[in-house]
Amino acid sequence: VMLSNSSAPRSLCRLQVSPDVLLEKVGRAGVITMNRPKVLNALNLTMIRQIYPQLKTWEQDSETDIVIIKGAGGKAFCAGGDIRAVMEAGKAGDSLTQDFFCDEYILNNAIGSYKKPYIALIDGITMGGGVGLSVHGRFRVATEKTLFAMPETGIGLFPDVGGGYFLPRLRGKLGLFLALTGFRLKGRDVQRAGVATHFVESQKIPDLEKELVDLKSPSAKDVSIVLDTYQKQSSLDSEKPFVLDRHMSDIDRLFSSSSVEGIMQNLKDDDSEFAKKQAETLSKMSPTSLKITYKQLQTGASLNLQDVLIMEYRLSQASVISCMFLVLVDKDQNPKWSPSTLEEVSDQSVDQCFSSLGDKDLTF
């Protein structure tokens, strides 16, 4: 399941035809701009199939030193994959349900193993698929406008795009907490959590981008120095503590359990306001999603990114596809999950979602 170059635009002239994503050479930098501001730069298959071959070309091109990826419109970097289109296709038995996840994960892996400095300017909403386009890259620059979340358990999905790789590698049980609850991190907290590598004030981003583009044959260290300099000049909110600072020891304690039921019990047994709030949040999530996500992160903690993406592709094709539809269509946001309780989701049904697809498994 390799992406073929035939799906790529042949020349820069062709790029004007599909403005969903702009691919430009600026000096010695390749610049990718997600260009669907009306839908918060949601990622679709067309965009994926244009970005991937261009990334590969730039990686081999001696005239290209770095890659910068950003979102147009000032509100979002990328608010996620265009899941509704994928779900409609699933209903119709269309191959988009395979193609989208397959090609998206191949792109995530290409970013994770990219040989040149890859800089994601996550200046705005960054969720789901947008996280996949940024978090595996060498540099991720957050601003005060950044809003990060992996909200998938609330829509019957799981935090894919390599979530099984980067989430368990955050400190303590923070990744599991973010994955299960969909908790939103804002601004400087995105860097403090370890999701971003740097924090730079939004108004400084155009100058930062210009400086990066003007670098002469930069190494990763050269890029790092520029980003560090801009970060030092960005004092906004620096005096505020990390939003989860006072809860970190609670998170580590409450989310340490050998099962999701155990975590729920920990939360219910705890008298704190924080624990009550998390129990309430988890009770609204898809029980199947919670159990799949728990196992995904537990397994992914000891796998490399490629193997995590192979695992997540299996999950994307499994029962999750059938159980996610509900809330995407329900406007009232009161999903009726089936099964409706954690106890009803058997270990066997969860394990089944992780089983090999044989010759339909994801390959790189």
Side-chain angles (χ1 to χ4, degrees):
V1 269
M2 283 304 290
L3 288 168
S4 70
N5 271 336
S6 61
S7 58
R10 295 241 186 290
S11 72
L12 280 173
C13 311
R14 285 275 303 279
L15 294 177
Q16 309 319 311
V17 179
S18 173
D20 285 2
V21 62
L22 306 174
L23 305 166
E24 305 163 281
K25 259 312 278 300
V26 185
R28 294 181 65 88
V31 181
I32 302 166
T33 309
M34 264 85 67
N35 192 36
R36 301 179 73 202
K38 287 196 175 78
V39 289
L40 302 176
N41 298 321
L43 184 67
N44 61 27
L45 188 57
T46 307
M47 294 160 77
I48 293 166
R49 286 184 168 173
Q50 290 190 359
I51 294 168
Y52 178 81
Q54 187 61 72
L55 267 185
K56 285 296 186 194
T57 302
W58 282 335
E59 193 170 30
Q60 301 304 323
D61 175 30
S62 59
E63 305 286 298
T64 306
D65 292 327
I66 63 171
V67 171
I68 295 170
I69 185 165
K70 59 183 182 170
K75 274 194 184 156
F77 169 71
C78 169
D82 203 340
I83 292 297
R84 191 176 292 276
V86 178
M87 293 311 98
E88 293 295 345
K91 265 172 121 179
D94 188 294
S95 73
L96 182 64
T97 48
Q98 289 100 53
D99 298 347
F100 181 84
F101 293 110
C102 163
D103 291 5
E104 182 181 28
Y105 296 174
I106 287 172
L107 174 57
N108 298 153
N109 182 62
I111 292 166
S113 56
Y114 209 63
K115 293 183 178 69
K116 293 180 177 178
Y118 180 97
I119 305 135
L121 304 175
I122 54 173
D123 181 25
I125 299 165
T126 306
M127 295 187 188
V131 176
L133 291 176
S134 53
V135 78
H136 306 298
R138 177 72 178 78
F139 302 102
R140 293 90 65 189
V141 183
T143 74
E144 71 276 13
K145 296 193 322 199
T146 305
L147 172 65
F148 162 90
M150 295 300 274
E152 288 83 357
T153 55
I155 54 170
L157 263 165
F158 60 96
D160 65 337
V161 297
Y165 179 79
F166 83 87
L167 288 163
R169 285 165 174 78
L170 300 179
R171 67 176 182 267
K173 292 289 173 186
L174 179 59
L176 183 61
F177 167 76
L178 295 172
L180 296 179
T181 64
F183 187 88
R184 296 177 165 204
L185 292 169
K186 295 176 185 154
R188 200 178 273 276
D189 287 340
V190 179
Q191 188 217 2
R192 288 175 170 145
V195 173
T197 56
H198 292 80
F199 175 84
V200 174
E201 288 160 16
S202 187
Q203 61 179 28
K204 294 184 164 70
I205 291 289
D207 289 343
L208 168 63
E209 195 184 332
K210 185 175 184 327
E211 199 157 324
L212 289 169
V213 161
D214 289 343
L215 287 172
K216 302 281 176 274
S217 308
S219 64
K221 190 165 185 344
D222 298 329
V223 171
S224 206
I225 289 166
V226 172
L227 295 177
D228 290 346
T229 305
Y230 273 80
Q231 178 167 270
K232 284 191 190 95
Q233 294 163 4
S234 299
S235 58
L236 188 72
D237 293 336
S238 59
E239 75 296 338
K240 285 188 192 161
F242 178 43
V243 66
L244 293 169
D245 230 6
R246 62 199 171 99
H247 301 302
M248 275 313 296
S249 57
D250 295 330
I251 287 171
D252 289 348
R253 179 173 50 86
L254 298 165
F255 283 76
S256 287
S257 177
S258 57
S259 68
V260 182
E261 289 92 333
I263 292 170
M264 279 304 271
Q265 198 54 55
N266 289 347
L267 293 169
K268 283 173 181 160
D269 291 346
D270 196 274
D271 290 336
S272 69
E273 200 50 49
F274 178 76
K276 276 199 194 84
K277 199 172 173 187
Q278 305 321 313
E280 194 182 314
T281 298
L282 292 183
S283 69
K284 294 181 181 147
M285 302 305 189
S286 154
T288 305
S289 288
L290 290 174
K291 287 204 166 179
I292 283 176
T293 299
Y294 179 89
K295 186 176 165 80
Q296 173 203 358
L297 267 64
Q298 192 184 35
T299 310
S302 58
L303 297 178
N304 64 27
L305 178 58
Q306 267 198 12
D307 289 338
V308 164
L309 291 165
I310 290 168
M311 167 180 76
E312 291 178 357
Y313 183 70
R314 290 170 181 171
L315 295 177
S316 78
Q317 300 306 302
S319 62
V320 190
I321 290 287
S322 56
C323 72
M324 60 167 94
F325 216 80
L326 222 43
V327 71
L328 289 164
V329 184
D330 277 5
K331 288 285 185 279
D332 62 359
Q333 294 292 303
N334 286 324
K336 314 281 183 287
W337 300 116
S338 169
S340 61
T341 65
L342 287 167
E343 288 67 33
E344 288 173 88
V345 182
S346 70
D347 289 347
Q348 190 192 350
S349 69
V350 171
D351 291 345
Q352 228 171 336
C353 298
F354 286 81
S355 52
S356 167
L357 301 171
D359 60 0
K360 290 193 170 71
D361 259 340
L362 182 64
T363 53
F364 296 96

